[in-house]
Amino acid sequence: MTTTIHAAEYPVEKVLSDDYVFTIPKYQRPYSWTTEQAELLYDDLLLTLEQSSNNVDQLTPYFLGSIVLIKSDSPEAEVVDGQQRLTTLTILLAVLREMVHPEVASNFTAFLYEKGNMLKGTQDRYRLTLRERDADFFKIYIQKEKGIEALESLQISLTSSQKNIRDNALLFSKRVGGLDATERIRLAMYIIKRCYLVVVRTPDFDSAYRIFSVLNDRGLDLTHSDILKAEVIGNIEEAKQDMYTQKWEEAEDDLGRDEFKELFAHIRMIFRKRKLEKTILEEVRKYVEPAKKPEYFMDHVLIPMARAMREITSLSYESSTLADEINQYFKLLQRVDNSDWMPPTILYISKNRNNPVELLKFLTKMERLAMGMLIQRANINERLERYSRLLEVIEMSPLSLYAADSPIELTDDEKKRIIATLDGPFYPITKLRLPVMLRIDEELSGGTASYDYKVLSVEHILPQNPKPDSQWVTWYPDELTRTEHVHRIGNLALLSRAKNSQAGNFEFDRKKKEYFVKKGISPFAITTQVLQESEWTLDVLMKRQKSLIEKLLVVWDLKSEVDL
């Protein structure tokens, strides 16, 4: 039997009519257009209107894109692609309805829902019904009259899609409020009569999904997580689809759409253990095979790994013991300038969540490895090779995870290279200086320091270019000695504000007052050390250098490999 695919271009007045009753199926992602995308659409529409004063029927048509439907001869149509455009158009028309004269407003309702008839025993039939979690919210606050005015003061907890709906409705209200009555009507007429959609419809899911995939491959706003959702939920028996759809959407809401999308890249790495060679979608399909055992994938892969990633990114691990320590290590790991450490960490947490002692032991080693590779400036291929081997050990040989030759352990040569970097001219390595200085500071404060400053910077005590007649040159008369020590950790301090190049060259006493005390005593233990010194001679600097490096040797278990 040949499947018929039909495509035609229609104005919005035809699309939002009795010919179509749109529903968003369970496997679809939430409504995700932000105010940025909604405002771009609005500005495009307004620009066309402003370019001409002609009759609306003579204005340049505006192409809104395509929608893909599963639809037979009846009006009922499942939206496979196009939810974002249909939802946003509905929000804009609902806002316009609220902001025109009441006698005119009734003309808009026909494009939002078909009113029921008591005598016929029919109920209101909505042109567009969103996913179950958002359907009632959309009907009450967008499609029904007077709903939008209640949005601004709404106090109930909202899903991410409901927040987008609210924010876009309030954005449109603000923008439409800047138009006069004639302009509002003209905009509404332009949307209804001169804005077009290409409607692609087919009677079965398979062919609709093929079209969906092609559109995705051509760079539209669908993502690999949307497509995988359709495949996974579609392969679960119908009686359980609602339950697993809710699980999927809760995981997506908890993580946030962007991080949920990123989760699949981490899952791919956990299973593939190699650098990405094709697309994430292709490799998840081939190596993870979520649609083959969809319930197993949901219960043993997606849900536990989504939870693990959320705990890592939001520092939200909970346990009766060691929860604060574990969350602190999540924070430390996030200072690393890449996320290649994430897959093995997600995998280990998903397997050992209920064992905080082992989890803390792993994270201690993991933070040392991730920072050690950063300090050695390992490239992406070196990192991926190392973490691939670690993934294999976690999966296949967990008992040998802490063996001497385990990939989570640093080799003697690696320890020596790390120490050499830390003990050398450290400051110019921009990716290292702030995370390492913060790491030392936290240890100096007993591991309890927690800062939330918008600006953090690292400052030299001995200036890089002291004035020839300054006390600095008396203390460091040999330029070669100054150059050798100026960038070392022992000569650095943390600031909770941007550096001031002029203050940086002050004499030591004035620098302490102006730079570290003037706006209140520095909150950093590593900076307070400096305030306690009366002079900053080479002996003081070298003593501090040795003390701080010793601190790092203990923190990262490097002490046995160095003789300072």
Side-chain angles (χ1 to χ4, degrees), residues 313-515:
T313 56
S314 61
L315 316 180
S316 59
Y317 176 81
E318 294 181 352
S319 174
S320 58
T321 59
L322 301 177
D324 289 343
E325 292 86 344
I326 287 168
N327 286 319
Q328 176 65 13
Y329 271 97
F330 291 158
K331 181 179 179 180
L332 295 176
L333 280 164
Q334 289 181 59
R335 288 182 185 154
V336 178
D337 75 335
N338 62 77
S339 61
D340 298 328
W341 53 269
M342 187 75 88
T345 307
I346 287 173
L347 178 62
Y348 193 87
I349 294 170
S350 68
K351 289 177 172 292
N352 299 275
R353 174 175 289 102
N354 297 325
N355 192 337
V357 173
E358 287 301 312
L359 189 51
L360 182 59
K361 181 179 179 181
F362 172 84
L363 290 170
T364 303
K365 296 282 189 178
M366 194 70 211
E367 188 259 347
R368 179 179 78 152
L369 174 62
M371 282 301 299
M373 295 183 77
L374 178 63
I375 292 167
Q376 295 177 81
R377 284 166 274 186
N379 63 41
I380 185 170
N381 291 325
E382 292 168 332
R383 296 195 304 267
L384 291 181
E385 188 277 333
R386 184 65 162 267
Y387 292 132
S388 294
R389 289 194 287 121
L390 180 55
L391 285 165
E392 289 177 353
V393 173
I394 294 171
E395 284 185 341
M396 308 300 295
S397 311
L399 294 178
S400 62
L401 181 58
Y402 304 115
D405 60 350
S406 169
I408 204 171
E409 299 288 358
L410 296 173
T411 67
D412 289 348
D413 284 344
E414 286 175 327
K415 290 178 182 179
K416 290 175 183 177
R417 289 197 297 271
I418 291 168
I419 293 165
T421 299
L422 293 174
D423 199 31
F426 178 77
Y427 180 84
I429 311 173
T430 55
K431 291 181 179 180
L432 291 185
R433 60 192 184 211
L434 189 56
V436 170
M437 291 293 288
L438 285 168
R439 191 71 175 91
I440 300 172
D441 185 75
E442 284 157 355
E443 291 304 314
L444 290 173
S445 64
T448 60
S450 180
Y451 311 116
D452 189 26
Y453 295 108
K454 291 182 179 179
V455 178
L456 286 172
S457 60
V458 178
E459 169 64 5
H460 295 83
I461 310 305
L462 165 65
Q464 298 181 70
N465 300 294
K467 295 177 181 179
D469 58 347
S470 67
Q471 180 68 58
W472 299 111
V473 174
T474 303
W475 285 333
Y476 298 85
D478 180 50
E479 185 175 354
L480 187 61
T481 301
R482 289 201 311 269
T483 303
E484 179 184 350
H485 291 281
V486 70
H487 291 317
R488 300 182 81 190
I489 286 176
N491 188 50
L492 303 176
L494 283 169
L495 297 177
S496 57
R497 60 185 186 276
K499 293 185 292 184
N500 181 318
S501 57
Q502 182 180 357
N505 285 324
F506 288 161
E507 296 288 6
F508 184 55
D509 286 342
R510 186 181 177 192
K511 189 169 191 176
K512 286 193 295 183
K513 294 175 184 177
E514 295 285 336
Y515 224 160

Side-chain angles (χ1 to χ4, degrees), residues 59-291:
L59 289 177
T60 303
Y62 184 86
F63 177 56
L64 290 163
S66 60
I67 58 175
V68 180
L69 311 174
I70 301 173
K71 184 182 183 302
S72 55
D73 294 333
S74 68
E76 282 70 24
E78 280 193 17
V79 181
V80 179
D81 180 41
Q83 173 194 183
Q84 311 300 323
R85 287 177 286 277
L86 289 172
T87 305
T88 307
L89 276 174
T90 300
I91 295 170
L92 179 52
L93 289 172
V95 167
L96 284 163
R97 177 186 60 185
E98 299 298 298
M99 304 188 76
V100 297
H101 193 278
E103 291 182 3
V104 180
S106 60
N107 292 282
F108 287 80
T109 297
F111 298 105
L112 304 174
Y113 68 95
E114 179 186 358
K115 288 194 173 185
N117 188 303
M118 182 183 66
L119 298 179
K120 293 181 179 180
T122 58
Q123 296 181 331
D124 295 343
R125 186 168 73 163
Y126 291 85
R127 302 297 185 211
L128 172 64
T129 299
L130 299 193
R131 303 173 320 146
E132 186 175 350
R133 295 186 74 191
D134 302 323
D136 287 342
F137 178 88
F138 196 64
K139 289 173 184 176
I140 294 169
Y141 293 105
I142 299 297
Q143 291 163 306
K144 295 295 285 185
E145 293 84 347
K146 305 300 181 185
I148 289 173
E149 64 186 37
L151 278 176
E152 193 161 1
S153 58
L154 201 60
Q155 297 297 317
I156 62 173
S157 177
L158 303 179
T159 66
S160 61
S161 52
Q162 290 168 4
K163 289 176 183 175
N164 287 329
I165 291 167
R166 177 200 62 192
D167 293 348
N168 289 340
L170 296 178
L171 166 73
F172 287 148
S173 293
K174 181 178 179 181
R175 294 296 305 274
V176 171
L179 304 177
D180 63 31
T182 301
E183 290 172 325
R184 293 172 189 174
I185 296 297
R186 196 161 177 265
L187 173 59
M189 291 177 66
Y190 181 68
I191 294 170
I192 295 300
K193 302 177 74 173
R194 300 298 287 165
C195 290
Y196 288 80
L197 286 157
V198 170
V199 179
V200 183
R201 60 182 175 88
T202 182
D204 63 83
F205 175 84
D206 288 342
S207 57
Y209 179 70
R210 283 195 297 273
I211 299 167
F212 175 100
S213 300
V214 168
L215 290 172
N216 181 75
D217 291 340
R218 290 176 184 173
L220 297 187
D221 58 358
L222 309 174
T223 71
H224 52 253
S225 59
D226 301 325
I227 295 175
L228 290 167
K229 182 182 180 183
E231 294 179 357
V232 171
I233 302 299
N235 279 285
I236 293 174
E237 61 179 283
E238 191 171 348
K240 296 181 180 180
Q241 284 187 358
D242 282 350
M243 177 181 68
Y244 279 104
T245 297
Q246 183 174 351
K247 285 184 177 183
W248 185 293
E249 292 174 359
E250 285 176 352
E252 187 172 20
D253 276 344
D254 286 345
L255 261 180
R257 180 160 176 79
D258 290 340
E259 287 189 343
F260 189 73
K261 179 182 174 184
E262 185 182 342
L263 171 65
F264 283 91
H266 298 320
I267 291 174
R268 182 216 68 85
M269 179 63 182
I270 289 168
F271 280 78
R272 178 62 171 135
K273 301 178 183 63
R274 287 182 61 179
K275 189 175 181 179
L276 185 68
E277 295 173 353
K278 297 185 179 179
T279 66
I280 291 174
L281 178 61
E282 287 177 298
E283 294 203 3
V284 169
R285 282 172 171 166
K286 183 174 182 179
Y287 299 105
V288 184
E289 299 182 311

